[in-house]
Amino acid sequence: MDLHALLKRQLKRLDIDPSAPPSAAGWSALLQRISRAYDEHDQESYLLERSQDLASQEMAALYATVRADRDQLDSRVRERTEALRLSEGRLSSLLSLSADWIWEQDAQLRFTYISEGMEAATGIAPSRLLGRHRMADGTLDASPESLAAYEACIEGRKAFRDFTYGITRVDGVRCYVRISGEPVFDEGGNFRGYRGVGRDVTATALAELKVHELACYDSLTGLPNRNMFLGELDRTIARARRQGREFAVCFIDLDRFKTVNDMLGHDAGDELLKMMAGRLRGVLRESDLVARLGGDEFVVLLEGGGSAADLSAVAQKMLAAIGQPLTLHGCVFDITCSIGVGVFPTDGEDAATLLKHADAAMYLAKERGKNTLQFYTAELADMAERQFAIESELRLALVRDELLLHFQPKIDIATGRMCSAEALVRWAHPQRGLVPPGDFIALAEERGLIVPIGRWVIQAACRQMRDWRRAGLAAPMVAVNLSARQFASDTLIDDLVGALSSHGIAPSQFEVELTESVLMADPERANQVLQQLHAMGIRISIDDFGTGYSSLSYLKRFPAQTVKIDRSFIRGLPEDKNDAAITQAVIAMAHSLGLAVVAEGVETHAQLQMLRLLGCDEAQGYLLGRPMPAADLALRLDPDTPVLPELVQTPQISVPAAHPRLQVHRGVVQRAEEVHGTTRGMRAID
Ligand code: C2E
Ligand code: MG
Ligand code: MG
């Protein structure tokens, strides 16, 4: 019998012969062993099943954990994706709303992406730039400094901010953009390109350009203005110094420009300045700088050295061009100019000195008869030095109390009595003695010293009136002269109010004298100030009448009460027919406009008698009293005695027949016989 080897072994262990039937004991032992074997088998299967069960439970738990982790991950991915989607949406909606755009460039700095914003803002299609460099089309322009800074950042692979440049669109329109960008590097630190933002700044850039233009160019003539000229002069000086070269500055001032301006008005004056600017530009080379410094002053910068003869030749060309007759408002004018030349470095090593010296040379050219050219010379250097010395001394004069007033009476021609006195300033110079105002007023005006001097004069005049009064004298009305700058000063009204009130002087006792040119410098403002003075009760007198604009009907716009005929017209009386006619005409015209007339510079009896015949109201001059110290005038302040009794005598002189249709000045034409019967009573306006 073929038995399983294991069974064979068991039978052998039990001493049972497999080929013979077993004994009962053997059979029983066998059955027991078989039963035990089943038990053991049951036990093993149980253990196996149990361990399988446990393993599967563990597996299930593990699986549950893994699934939970996966679900969590899934939901996080979903959340993140949603957040990203929202953020992208936000970015793109913001981008579409904003005027800015995004750009990206690769490592070769070629555009790889430009967002829509650029086309919307600038009208430049991204396709024009994609795959190309920023500077590719050559229309980019930026200031050399900002371009250099931008290029330095790019080369250094650094971030840059607010690089602004101009670019021309296909349709030729210029626009300006401002970009910022930063480099992009990969994980390995390799440069991958740039990305950044852009913005259209055309409106701002154009406004900035406009501001620059206004700051640098004269709006009337379009020429560079003083600012720009001074900047250019500094640069030219630096260049010339480096290269050891010379150059010249020509200071040009139009002669008699004021006459045209006063006669024909500011519009015609402006027209004339434009024409002159064009003429100057026309005779010079492109490289020569022509600028307008202001008013009728121009300046030319001639680079490239050249001999005095060469400079003269250029200046002669300018003189000739300006001197061409020109027609304005149907009148032909011969306007000329005076030119002063300063050469760098001989006549000045810095801009201020060079310009000052060219200006001084120009003044000498004017003095030497205008329409001429003058180089800066040693003689001028002396003069300038003297002026400088006077200026510094004049500043001290106020502090040292060296100014004083003299008073010159104005006499009522009919009664011979003093009706008022004009305060005239003098400077008691410690070395030079009594300096007349003619020697320092213009300088004070030019150097900005006239306002404090004028303030001193007003104070001193009021103080003097108070002192006369305190001394029991009948203080006359006092007139002070106001110069242009003083009249334009913001403090004038306050100065007057302060001086009058602190000395208890009634404004009606105070008069101001202004020349026509002071009024005509800015008629609008002049009128405003005069109206204020008038409202305060201060009297207003037009000084030196006949030397400027000379239209009384025009001057009547201002609330003046008196006209002073300039002494140059009185000088020729009574013989000079022209002067007589002018004086007659002015008196008649002034009276018809309700103005009183004072004749200045009356030196002879004959002049005075004639003025009385012509109906002139008051006279002032050496005959009636020189400007004198206050103490001398005090002696003449007796209200009961006429100053010069002989003046009341009946004159023996007759009025000469003036040219019946003599044209005096524009708008002032009078016939002698019309004037003859004029009396002082005719002051009401017709
Ligand atoms: P102005 O206001 O026309 O003053 C009259 C000038 O004529 C005075 O000269 C006076 O001395 C002079 N004069 C008076 N009568 C005669 C005469 O019969 N014959 C001649 N040949 N001259 C006569 P002055 O004092 O030298 O003043 C000159 C100018 O200086 C004044 O002209 C005025 O424009 C200015 N000035 C004087 N004082 C002041 C002042 O306080 N402030 C300002 N801004 N200017 C002043
Ligand atoms: Mg005066
Ligand atoms: Mg005068």
Side-chain angles (χ1 to χ4, degrees), residues 422 424 481 513 543-544 564 600:
E422 180 176 3
L424 294 156
N481 294 279
E513 296 192 3
D543 207 352
D544 302 347
K564 296 181 78 177
E600 290 181 348

Side-chain angles (χ1 to χ4, degrees), residues 608-616 651 653-655 675-676 678:
L608 183 68
Q609 283 174 340
M610 173 146 194
L611 287 163
R612 182 189 293 127
L613 275 180
L614 295 177
C616 185
I653 194 164
S654 63
V655 179
V675 174
H676 188 67
T678 308

Side-chain angles (χ1 to χ4, degrees), residues 423-681:
L424 294 156
V425 69
R426 266 94 185 102
W427 176 13
H429 191 279
Q431 283 86 42
R432 293 192 285 140
L434 210 57
V435 184
D439 289 3
F440 66 91
I441 289 288
L443 186 76
E445 174 89 7
E446 190 186 309
R447 307 292 156 97
L449 283 168
I450 197 69
V451 174
I453 290 180
R455 191 178 294 136
W456 181 89
V457 169
I458 292 168
Q459 277 285 347
C462 290
R463 197 182 316 122
Q464 188 56 63
M465 290 169 85
R466 183 201 60 190
D467 290 351
W468 280 325
R469 227 175 261 170
R470 281 188 181 167
L473 299 164
M477 181 191 296
V478 168
V480 299
N481 294 279
L482 297 184
S483 71
R485 277 231 202 159
Q486 193 186 357
F487 187 61
S489 121
D490 291 335
T491 61
L492 176 68
I493 301 282
D494 289 346
D495 292 344
L496 282 165
V497 171
L500 290 168
S501 66
S502 66
H503 296 105
I505 307 298
S508 59
Q509 283 299 98
F510 201 80
E511 189 169 40
V512 290
E513 296 192 3
L514 299 121
T515 60
E516 298 161 85
S517 56
V518 168
L519 298 178
M520 300 309 292
D522 183 354
E524 295 265 300
R525 195 185 134 73
N527 203 21
Q528 270 176 18
V529 179
L530 289 189
Q531 293 297 351
Q532 274 177 283
L533 296 177
H534 185 58
M536 284 165 66
I538 291 178
R539 294 181 61 85
I540 295 156
S541 180
I542 312 286
D543 207 352
D544 302 347
F545 184 77
T547 56
Y549 191 69
S550 307
S551 167
L552 273 180
S553 48
Y554 189 89
L555 287 174
K556 191 52 201 154
R557 295 174 183 198
F558 303 115
Q561 289 81 40
T562 311
V563 173
K564 296 181 78 177
I565 305 178
D566 190 67
R567 63 173 175 275
S568 57
F569 302 109
I570 308 301
R571 195 179 302 135
L573 298 186
E575 294 83 13
D576 187 299
K577 287 199 169 148
N578 269 9
D579 284 350
I582 290 165
T583 309
Q584 271 184 324
V586 173
I587 293 171
M589 188 82 157
H591 284 168
S592 75
L593 293 169
L595 296 163
V597 184
V598 180
E600 290 181 348
V602 179
E603 294 181 353
T604 67
H605 281 281
Q607 285 168 343
L608 183 68
Q609 283 174 340
M610 173 146 194
L611 287 163
R612 182 189 293 127
L613 275 180
L614 295 177
C616 185
D617 306 285
E618 294 170 27
Q620 187 184 18
Y622 293 167
L623 175 72
L624 308 150
R626 289 186 173 249
M628 59 189 91
D632 294 355
L633 195 86
L635 302 175
R636 302 172 66 165
L637 289 181
D638 182 349
D640 295 328
T641 44
V643 175
L644 293 171
E646 72 272 22
L647 294 181
V648 195
Q649 292 164 9
T650 319
Q652 299 303 311
I653 194 164
S654 63
V655 179
H659 191 293
R661 293 188 60 78
L662 183 72
Q663 179 164 350
V664 176
H665 275 271
R666 210 172 73 89
V668 186
V669 183
Q670 289 287 307
R671 288 167 63 91
E673 53 273 34
E674 285 169 1
V675 174
H676 188 67
T678 308
T679 68
R680 292 181 63 220

Side-chain angles (χ1 to χ4, degrees), residues 47 65 72 141 183 191 235 294 350 393 520 529 531 648 668:
L47 284 174
T65 319
Q72 211 177 3
D141 87 302
F191 173 68
R235 281 187 283 278
D350 61 90
E393 287 177 345
M520 300 309 292
V529 179
Q531 293 297 351
V648 195
V668 186

Side-chain angles (χ1 to χ4, degrees), residues 33-104:
R33 173 104 9 148
I34 290 170
S35 174
R36 208 167 54 235
Y38 272 116
D39 282 348
E40 281 170 4
H41 176 261
D42 281 354
Q43 183 69 26
E44 274 170 16
S45 330
Y46 169 76
L47 284 174
L48 190 67
E49 272 172 25
R50 175 88 185 118
S51 78
Q52 271 181 347
D53 208 26
L54 282 175
S56 95
Q57 274 176 23
E58 272 174 20
M59 287 286 283
L62 202 63
Y63 177 68
T65 319
V66 167
R67 202 168 53 189
D69 281 355
R70 194 202 60 197
D71 287 354
Q72 211 177 3
L73 207 62
D74 274 358
S75 97
R76 269 169 59 194
V77 166
R78 265 198 312 277
E79 274 170 25
R80 292 278 165 93
T81 312
E82 180 60 12
L84 199 63
R85 197 183 62 75
L86 284 175
S87 137
E88 268 182 1
R90 228 175 6 244
L91 187 67
S92 81
S93 101
L94 281 179
L95 264 177
S96 69
L97 284 175
S98 99
D100 298 356
W101 62 89
I102 291 176
W103 53 267
E104 284 173 346

